[in-house]
Amino acid sequence: MKILGIETSCDETALAVVEDGQKILSNIVSSSLPLHTKTGGIIPEIAAREQTKAIIPSLQAALEEARIKLDQVDAVAVTYGPGLIGSLLVGVETAKTLSYLTSKPLVPVNHLVGHIYANWLETTEEPQFPNISLVVSGGHTEIYFMEGHGSFLRLGGTRDDAAGEAFDKVARLLGLTYPGGPAIQKVANLKLKETYHLPRPMLNSPDFDFSFSGLKTAVANLAAENKIERKEIPALAASFQEAVVDTLVTKALKAAKERSVQTILLSGGVAANQRLREAFKDRFTGKILVASPSLSVDNGAMVAAAAHFNFDPKPWSSVTSDPGLLP
Ligand code: KG4
Ligand code: ZN
């Protein structure tokens, strides 16, 4: 089955064709990110306008790269939420129109579920259950226990900032570019040790929740008190990165132990972080699944993959952009 996946929840206009949930036939991502670097964050109005410009050329490109015609796709899948409402609307209305024109099924996909299914793209391995799924992106930091396709038991999540949001805010504090995750990773340069011991809020709490806003404040206070000089920014960035990584890994490992699970799935934009990947590999004796960095950030292929394994078409009238809490 060939599914067209459409992802427009934020600044990416991403369309892809995926065969049988794992084989990527095309994967087109265009982004309005350069327009947001000046402001250090996404301006929803601008992101939505850019979506309307990019959606049809990206659709054309995705079909061309996959070497198929629109009526050869078996279904149209689209992210319905969570995300920016104006951006989501562009993808959702495009998907409904395509489904109507071709009489092909329309499959709405939750953005976080999409991220999770990116882990099984480009592999021939069957999805493994049970697993612990850590979704870490700009808007979410969530831990799920998955017992099968579509079965998500939420164990915990952030009580304030998402991990990616903390990366973005700290990068801004340190005068680095947006998005903050790649910028911090770059200056931290992997070789740098943890120079400043920053707090790991909720590290030892009995639950699986996170809190990153205090860590961000600790970086701000440290920078203000010590009047951090330019040459000290890499050490501070590396220390911050280490604190986030330690917290994420510790909580995910605790969840795996409590549920006697041998597989951890790592997904969302922050999963692109090399230090996080290394730390998981060093500290977990079981299996870590993580997509390539380009499939960890937002893309259409993950949406098509999630739709394949959770094939649940809906009538056009019931599909709207939505805050999209997990089922
Ligand atoms: O999943 P994503 O592309 O979009 C959302 O659904 O939010 O994630 C974007 C987030 C941003 O906060 C960005 O700073 C972070 O992922 N990110 C990273 C890295 N690459 C992207 N964080 C840490 N290290 C990275 N290499
Ligand atoms: Zn995302």
Side-chain angles (χ1 to χ4, degrees), residues 242-285:
E242 210 51 42
V244 176
V245 165
D246 188 17
T247 310
L248 293 174
V249 176
T250 303
K251 285 269 158 118
L253 260 56
K254 185 177 140 193
K257 191 170 174 205
E258 194 180 287
R259 296 276 164 177
S260 306
V261 160
Q262 286 307 313
T263 306
I264 295 180
L265 268 55
L266 186 54
S267 50
V270 180
N273 187 276
Q274 281 184 39
R275 182 65 200 116
L276 182 66
R277 290 162 173 249
E278 270 179 16
F280 263 111
K281 285 185 181 135
D282 289 349
R283 289 175 55 184
F284 187 53
T285 48

Short mmCIF file of all heavy atoms in Angstrom, two decimals, residues 242-285:
data_model
loop_
_atom_site.label_atom_id
_atom_site.label_comp_id
_atom_site.label_asym_id
_atom_site.label_seq_id
_atom_site.Cartn_x
_atom_site.Cartn_y
_atom_site.Cartn_z
N GLU A 242 24.06 18.35 28.84
CA GLU A 242 24.28 17.17 29.68
C GLU A 242 23.16 17.01 30.70
O GLU A 242 22.71 15.88 30.95
CB GLU A 242 25.64 17.35 30.40
CG GLU A 242 26.35 16.07 30.72
CD GLU A 242 26.50 15.11 29.55
OE1 GLU A 242 26.81 15.55 28.42
OE2 GLU A 242 26.29 13.90 29.76
N ALA A 243 22.70 18.12 31.26
CA ALA A 243 21.63 18.05 32.27
C ALA A 243 20.33 17.54 31.62
O ALA A 243 19.63 16.70 32.19
CB ALA A 243 21.41 19.42 32.90
N VAL A 244 20.02 18.02 30.43
CA VAL A 244 18.79 17.57 29.74
C VAL A 244 18.92 16.09 29.39
O VAL A 244 18.01 15.28 29.64
CB VAL A 244 18.53 18.40 28.45
CG1 VAL A 244 17.32 17.85 27.70
CG2 VAL A 244 18.32 19.86 28.78
N VAL A 245 20.06 15.73 28.83
CA VAL A 245 20.28 14.34 28.40
C VAL A 245 20.17 13.39 29.60
O VAL A 245 19.49 12.37 29.54
CB VAL A 245 21.66 14.22 27.70
CG1 VAL A 245 22.08 12.77 27.56
CG2 VAL A 245 21.61 14.91 26.34
N ASP A 246 20.83 13.76 30.69
CA ASP A 246 20.81 12.91 31.89
C ASP A 246 19.37 12.69 32.37
O ASP A 246 18.96 11.56 32.68
CB ASP A 246 21.66 13.59 32.98
CG ASP A 246 21.87 12.69 34.19
OD1 ASP A 246 21.66 11.47 34.06
OD2 ASP A 246 22.23 13.21 35.26
N THR A 247 18.60 13.77 32.39
CA THR A 247 17.22 13.66 32.87
C THR A 247 16.39 12.76 31.96
O THR A 247 15.66 11.88 32.43
CB THR A 247 16.57 15.08 32.92
OG1 THR A 247 17.46 15.95 33.61
CG2 THR A 247 15.24 15.05 33.62
N LEU A 248 16.50 12.98 30.65
CA LEU A 248 15.69 12.19 29.71
C LEU A 248 16.05 10.71 29.78
O LEU A 248 15.17 9.84 29.83
CB LEU A 248 15.90 12.71 28.27
CG LEU A 248 15.36 14.12 27.97
CD1 LEU A 248 15.75 14.54 26.55
CD2 LEU A 248 13.83 14.17 28.12
N VAL A 249 17.35 10.43 29.81
CA VAL A 249 17.79 9.03 29.80
C VAL A 249 17.38 8.35 31.12
O VAL A 249 16.84 7.23 31.11
CB VAL A 249 19.32 8.93 29.58
CG1 VAL A 249 19.78 7.48 29.66
CG2 VAL A 249 19.71 9.52 28.23
N THR A 250 17.62 9.05 32.24
CA THR A 250 17.29 8.44 33.55
C THR A 250 15.82 8.06 33.63
O THR A 250 15.47 6.94 34.03
CB THR A 250 17.65 9.43 34.69
OG1 THR A 250 19.04 9.75 34.57
CG2 THR A 250 17.39 8.83 36.06
N LYS A 251 14.95 8.96 33.21
CA LYS A 251 13.50 8.68 33.33
C LYS A 251 13.06 7.59 32.36
O LYS A 251 12.23 6.74 32.70
CB LYS A 251 12.69 9.97 33.08
CG LYS A 251 12.74 10.94 34.24
CD LYS A 251 11.58 10.71 35.21
CE LYS A 251 11.87 11.26 36.60
NZ LYS A 251 10.99 12.30 37.05
N ALA A 252 13.61 7.59 31.16
CA ALA A 252 13.21 6.55 30.18
C ALA A 252 13.69 5.18 30.64
O ALA A 252 12.97 4.17 30.51
CB ALA A 252 13.78 6.89 28.80
N LEU A 253 14.89 5.13 31.21
CA LEU A 253 15.42 3.85 31.71
C LEU A 253 14.60 3.34 32.88
O LEU A 253 14.34 2.13 33.00
CB LEU A 253 16.89 4.02 32.13
CG LEU A 253 17.93 3.54 31.12
CD1 LEU A 253 17.78 4.20 29.78
CD2 LEU A 253 19.34 3.78 31.65
N LYS A 254 14.18 4.29 33.72
CA LYS A 254 13.36 3.91 34.87
C LYS A 254 12.02 3.32 34.38
O LYS A 254 11.54 2.30 34.91
CB LYS A 254 13.11 5.17 35.72
CG LYS A 254 12.38 4.91 37.01
CD LYS A 254 12.27 6.20 37.81
CE LYS A 254 10.89 6.26 38.43
NZ LYS A 254 10.50 7.52 38.97
N ALA A 255 11.46 3.93 33.35
CA ALA A 255 10.20 3.41 32.79
C ALA A 255 10.40 2.02 32.21
O ALA A 255 9.58 1.12 32.40
CB ALA A 255 9.68 4.37 31.72
N ALA A 256 11.52 1.84 31.49
CA ALA A 256 11.80 0.53 30.88
C ALA A 256 11.95 -0.54 31.96
O ALA A 256 11.44 -1.66 31.83
CB ALA A 256 13.06 0.61 30.03
N LYS A 257 12.62 -0.16 33.05
CA LYS A 257 12.82 -1.13 34.14
C LYS A 257 11.49 -1.48 34.79
O LYS A 257 11.18 -2.66 34.99
CB LYS A 257 13.79 -0.51 35.16
CG LYS A 257 14.28 -1.49 36.18
CD LYS A 257 15.39 -0.90 37.01
CE LYS A 257 15.74 -1.88 38.12
NZ LYS A 257 16.34 -1.23 39.25
N GLU A 258 10.72 -0.46 35.08
CA GLU A 258 9.45 -0.70 35.77
C GLU A 258 8.50 -1.56 34.95
O GLU A 258 7.77 -2.38 35.48
CB GLU A 258 8.78 0.64 36.08
CG GLU A 258 7.65 0.49 37.08
CD GLU A 258 6.99 1.82 37.42
OE1 GLU A 258 7.62 2.61 38.13
OE2 GLU A 258 5.84 2.04 36.96
N ARG A 259 8.55 -1.40 33.63
CA ARG A 259 7.65 -2.17 32.75
C ARG A 259 8.32 -3.41 32.18
O ARG A 259 7.76 -4.07 31.30
CB ARG A 259 7.18 -1.28 31.60
CG ARG A 259 6.35 -0.10 32.04
CD ARG A 259 4.90 -0.49 32.22
NE ARG A 259 4.19 0.50 32.98
CZ ARG A 259 2.89 0.47 33.24
NH1 ARG A 259 2.16 -0.52 32.78
NH2 ARG A 259 2.31 1.39 33.95
N SER A 260 9.53 -3.70 32.62
CA SER A 260 10.31 -4.85 32.12
C SER A 260 10.37 -4.88 30.59
O SER A 260 10.05 -5.88 29.95
CB SER A 260 9.72 -6.17 32.61
OG SER A 260 9.60 -6.16 33.98
N VAL A 261 10.75 -3.74 30.03
CA VAL A 261 10.77 -3.59 28.58
C VAL A 261 12.21 -3.56 28.07
O VAL A 261 13.08 -2.98 28.70
CB VAL A 261 10.02 -2.28 28.22
CG1 VAL A 261 10.38 -1.79 26.85
CG2 VAL A 261 8.52 -2.50 28.33
N GLN A 262 12.44 -4.21 26.95
CA GLN A 262 13.79 -4.29 26.40
C GLN A 262 14.03 -3.36 25.21
O GLN A 262 15.10 -3.35 24.62
CB GLN A 262 14.07 -5.74 25.95
CG GLN A 262 14.31 -6.71 27.10
CD GLN A 262 15.40 -6.21 28.05
OE1 GLN A 262 16.46 -5.79 27.64
NE2 GLN A 262 15.10 -6.22 29.35
N THR A 263 12.98 -2.61 24.82
CA THR A 263 13.13 -1.71 23.65
C THR A 263 12.69 -0.30 24.02
O THR A 263 11.60 -0.11 24.56
CB THR A 263 12.25 -2.21 22.48
OG1 THR A 263 12.58 -3.57 22.22
CG2 THR A 263 12.50 -1.40 21.22
N ILE A 264 13.56 0.66 23.72
CA ILE A 264 13.20 2.08 23.89
C ILE A 264 13.22 2.76 22.54
O ILE A 264 14.17 2.61 21.76
CB ILE A 264 14.15 2.81 24.86
CG1 ILE A 264 14.05 2.22 26.28
CG2 ILE A 264 13.86 4.30 24.90
CD1 ILE A 264 14.96 2.87 27.32
N LEU A 265 12.14 3.48 22.26
CA LEU A 265 12.04 4.25 21.01
C LEU A 265 12.28 5.72 21.33
O LEU A 265 11.66 6.25 22.26
CB LEU A 265 10.64 4.12 20.44
CG LEU A 265 10.34 3.03 19.43
CD1 LEU A 265 10.71 1.68 19.96
CD2 LEU A 265 8.87 3.06 19.06
N LEU A 266 13.11 6.34 20.57
CA LEU A 266 13.46 7.73 20.80
C LEU A 266 13.01 8.53 19.59
O LEU A 266 13.45 8.23 18.47
CB LEU A 266 14.99 7.76 20.96
CG LEU A 266 15.69 9.02 21.36
CD1 LEU A 266 15.10 9.57 22.64
CD2 LEU A 266 17.17 8.72 21.55
N SER A 267 12.13 9.52 19.79
CA SER A 267 11.67 10.26 18.61
C SER A 267 11.37 11.72 18.89
O SER A 267 11.37 12.15 20.05
CB SER A 267 10.45 9.56 18.01
OG SER A 267 9.50 9.32 18.99
N GLY A 268 11.12 12.48 17.83
CA GLY A 268 10.92 13.93 17.92
C GLY A 268 12.23 14.65 17.62
O GLY A 268 13.30 14.03 17.62
N GLY A 269 12.13 15.95 17.38
CA GLY A 269 13.31 16.72 16.95
C GLY A 269 14.52 16.59 17.85
O GLY A 269 15.66 16.52 17.38
N VAL A 270 14.31 16.53 19.17
CA VAL A 270 15.44 16.45 20.10
C VAL A 270 16.17 15.10 19.98
O VAL A 270 17.35 14.99 20.33
CB VAL A 270 14.98 16.73 21.56
CG1 VAL A 270 16.13 16.67 22.54
CG2 VAL A 270 14.30 18.10 21.65
N ALA A 271 15.47 14.10 19.44
CA ALA A 271 16.11 12.79 19.23
C ALA A 271 17.25 12.90 18.21
O ALA A 271 18.07 11.98 18.09
CB ALA A 271 15.08 11.77 18.77
N ALA A 272 17.30 14.01 17.49
CA ALA A 272 18.41 14.22 16.55
C ALA A 272 19.71 14.52 17.29
O ALA A 272 20.79 14.47 16.71
CB ALA A 272 18.07 15.37 15.59
N ASN A 273 19.59 14.82 18.59
CA ASN A 273 20.78 15.20 19.36
C ASN A 273 21.76 14.04 19.53
O ASN A 273 21.41 12.98 20.06
CB ASN A 273 20.34 15.72 20.74
CG ASN A 273 21.49 16.30 21.52
OD1 ASN A 273 22.23 15.59 22.18
ND2 ASN A 273 21.68 17.61 21.41
N GLN A 274 22.97 14.26 19.11
CA GLN A 274 23.97 13.18 19.13
C GLN A 274 24.34 12.74 20.53
O GLN A 274 24.57 11.55 20.79
CB GLN A 274 25.24 13.63 18.42
CG GLN A 274 25.12 13.57 16.92
CD GLN A 274 26.43 13.95 16.28
OE1 GLN A 274 27.50 13.59 16.77
NE2 GLN A 274 26.36 14.69 15.20
N ARG A 275 24.45 13.69 21.43
CA ARG A 275 24.82 13.36 22.81
C ARG A 275 23.74 12.49 23.46
O ARG A 275 24.03 11.55 24.19
CB ARG A 275 25.05 14.66 23.59
CG ARG A 275 25.48 14.49 24.99
CD ARG A 275 26.87 13.86 25.16
NE ARG A 275 27.00 13.31 26.50
CZ ARG A 275 27.15 12.02 26.80
NH1 ARG A 275 27.27 11.12 25.83
NH2 ARG A 275 27.22 11.63 28.04
N LEU A 276 22.48 12.82 23.16
CA LEU A 276 21.36 12.04 23.70
C LEU A 276 21.41 10.60 23.17
O LEU A 276 21.23 9.63 23.91
CB LEU A 276 20.02 12.70 23.31
CG LEU A 276 18.76 12.04 23.85
CD1 LEU A 276 18.69 12.13 25.37
CD2 LEU A 276 17.50 12.68 23.25
N ARG A 277 21.69 10.47 21.87
CA ARG A 277 21.78 9.13 21.26
C ARG A 277 22.90 8.32 21.90
O ARG A 277 22.71 7.16 22.26
CB ARG A 277 22.05 9.27 19.76
CG ARG A 277 20.88 9.81 19.01
CD ARG A 277 21.30 10.34 17.65
NE ARG A 277 20.11 10.69 16.91
CZ ARG A 277 19.67 10.05 15.83
NH1 ARG A 277 20.35 9.06 15.32
NH2 ARG A 277 18.56 10.40 15.24
N GLU A 278 24.04 8.98 22.06
CA GLU A 278 25.19 8.30 22.67
C GLU A 278 24.88 7.84 24.09
O GLU A 278 25.19 6.72 24.47
CB GLU A 278 26.35 9.29 22.81
CG GLU A 278 27.27 9.38 21.65
CD GLU A 278 28.33 10.44 21.96
OE1 GLU A 278 28.52 10.86 23.14
OE2 GLU A 278 28.95 10.87 21.00
N ALA A 279 24.28 8.76 24.86
CA ALA A 279 24.01 8.45 26.27
C ALA A 279 23.05 7.27 26.38
O ALA A 279 23.23 6.40 27.24
CB ALA A 279 23.44 9.68 26.97
N PHE A 280 22.03 7.21 25.53
CA PHE A 280 21.11 6.08 25.56
C PHE A 280 21.85 4.79 25.25
O PHE A 280 21.65 3.76 25.89
CB PHE A 280 19.96 6.28 24.56
CG PHE A 280 18.72 6.84 25.20
CD1 PHE A 280 18.30 8.12 24.93
CD2 PHE A 280 17.99 6.07 26.10
CE1 PHE A 280 17.15 8.64 25.53
CE2 PHE A 280 16.84 6.57 26.71
CZ PHE A 280 16.43 7.87 26.42
N LYS A 281 22.71 4.86 24.24
CA LYS A 281 23.44 3.64 23.85
C LYS A 281 24.38 3.18 24.96
O LYS A 281 24.54 1.99 25.20
CB LYS A 281 24.16 3.85 22.53
CG LYS A 281 23.12 3.82 21.41
CD LYS A 281 23.64 3.89 20.02
CE LYS A 281 22.43 3.87 19.08
NZ LYS A 281 22.48 4.82 18.02
N ASP A 282 25.00 4.17 25.66
CA ASP A 282 25.92 3.82 26.76
C ASP A 282 25.20 3.24 27.97
O ASP A 282 25.71 2.37 28.64
CB ASP A 282 26.67 5.08 27.25
CG ASP A 282 27.69 5.55 26.24
OD1 ASP A 282 27.95 4.80 25.29
OD2 ASP A 282 28.18 6.68 26.40
N ARG A 283 24.03 3.78 28.25
CA ARG A 283 23.41 3.46 29.55
C ARG A 283 22.32 2.39 29.49
O ARG A 283 21.91 1.88 30.52
CB ARG A 283 22.85 4.74 30.18
CG ARG A 283 23.97 5.67 30.67
CD ARG A 283 23.45 7.01 31.19
NE ARG A 283 22.45 6.91 32.23
CZ ARG A 283 21.83 7.96 32.76
NH1 ARG A 283 22.14 9.18 32.37
NH2 ARG A 283 20.92 7.81 33.70
N PHE A 284 21.83 2.05 28.28
CA PHE A 284 20.74 1.06 28.21
C PHE A 284 21.27 -0.23 27.60
O PHE A 284 21.89 -0.21 26.53
CB PHE A 284 19.59 1.63 27.36
CG PHE A 284 18.36 0.76 27.34
CD1 PHE A 284 17.76 0.34 28.53
CD2 PHE A 284 17.78 0.37 26.14
CE1 PHE A 284 16.62 -0.46 28.52
CE2 PHE A 284 16.64 -0.43 26.12
CZ PHE A 284 16.06 -0.84 27.32
N THR A 285 21.00 -1.32 28.27
CA THR A 285 21.53 -2.60 27.78
C THR A 285 20.61 -3.22 26.73
O THR A 285 21.02 -4.11 26.00
CB THR A 285 21.70 -3.60 28.94
OG1 THR A 285 20.49 -3.59 29.70
CG2 THR A 285 22.88 -3.23 29.83
#
